[in-house]
Amino acid sequence: MELDALDRALLRELQNDARQTNRDLAAKTGVSPSTSLERVRLLRERGVITGYHAALDLDAAGRPVQALIQVRIRPPARPVIEGFREWAARLPEVIGLFVTSGSHDFLIHVAVPDVDSVYAFVIDRLTERREVADVQTTMAYEHVQSRSIEPAVPDRRRPSRGAR
């Protein structure tokens, strides 16, 4: 899906402040309000914009301690992997979950009140599951997250998928 310069500008501005008025968005991107409204509607319909969220400060929300937990599942069968993924994604401590390749099947990002809560999460939640074969925990000292993602500009030297 190709995004032009206006699409990228609209996305950049919305990521900076999704609560701004359409009039302000149009002014910041140099287009009319009707053009801004229509382009944002098309970006939603095309699935580029998937939602709008409130960003929380984890310290203020009572979850200042973060950890990354690698989990290996056995047997490595699709129903087992999918079942674990669905279960883990619903846990209130989980703020991110990746299905990965390599020596582990999952990387789980948790945010909890204290170090004891990390331990309890691993021992009381993860290792109680019989499909969990191995768990490795890494404490996060700091988490820097990009708040704005610039869409990729297509490489004109390579043919698109449909042109092959």
Side-chain angles (χ1 to χ4, degrees):
M1 171 178 318
E2 291 204 27
L3 302 174
D4 64 15
L6 177 56
D7 291 331
R8 288 193 294 279
L10 290 165
L11 291 169
R12 187 172 33 259
E13 290 300 328
L14 285 171
Q15 288 179 91
N16 288 331
D17 180 7
R19 294 186 55 160
Q20 64 186 300
T21 67
N22 182 60
R23 185 177 308 277
D24 289 342
L25 180 61
K28 288 178 182 175
T29 55
V31 297
S32 70
S34 62
T35 299
S36 172
L37 191 63
E38 178 64 14
R39 292 297 282 268
V40 170
R41 183 187 64 76
L42 288 171
L43 288 167
R44 281 195 316 267
E45 285 179 1
R46 292 165 50 197
V48 177
I49 297 174
T50 60
Y52 301 92
H53 322 287
L56 298 182
D57 179 299
L58 291 174
D59 288 345
R63 294 173 178 248
V65 175
Q66 295 180 59
L68 299 168
I69 304 168
Q70 294 178 296
V71 179
R72 185 165 40 98
I73 301 296
R74 292 295 174 254
R78 181 180 296 272
V80 178
I81 296 287
E82 290 175 352
F84 182 84
R85 181 192 67 219
E86 291 170 15
W87 172 80
R90 289 191 308 267
L91 297 174
E93 300 89 347
V94 174
I95 61 173
L97 182 140
F98 298 88
V99 180
T100 61
S101 65
S103 61
H104 288 85
D105 301 299
F106 292 91
L107 179 62
I108 302 173
H109 183 190
V110 298
V112 295
D114 51 41
V115 175
D116 289 339
S117 298
V118 174
Y119 181 76
F121 179 82
V122 171
I123 299 302
D124 298 334
R125 300 257 193 172
L126 294 180
T127 61
E128 77 175 9
R129 303 278 301 200
R130 56 173 205 226
E131 70 268 30
V132 172
D134 184 49
V135 176
Q136 292 182 7
T137 303
T138 302
M139 299 300 296
Y141 295 131
E142 185 177 5
H143 178 211
V144 178
Q145 185 174 356
S146 176
R147 295 287 181 207
S148 181
I149 301 167
E150 186 70 27
V153 177
D155 184 352
R156 300 286 180 206
R157 296 172 292 167
R158 291 189 331 202
S160 66
R161 284 189 186 172
R164 290 182 195 180

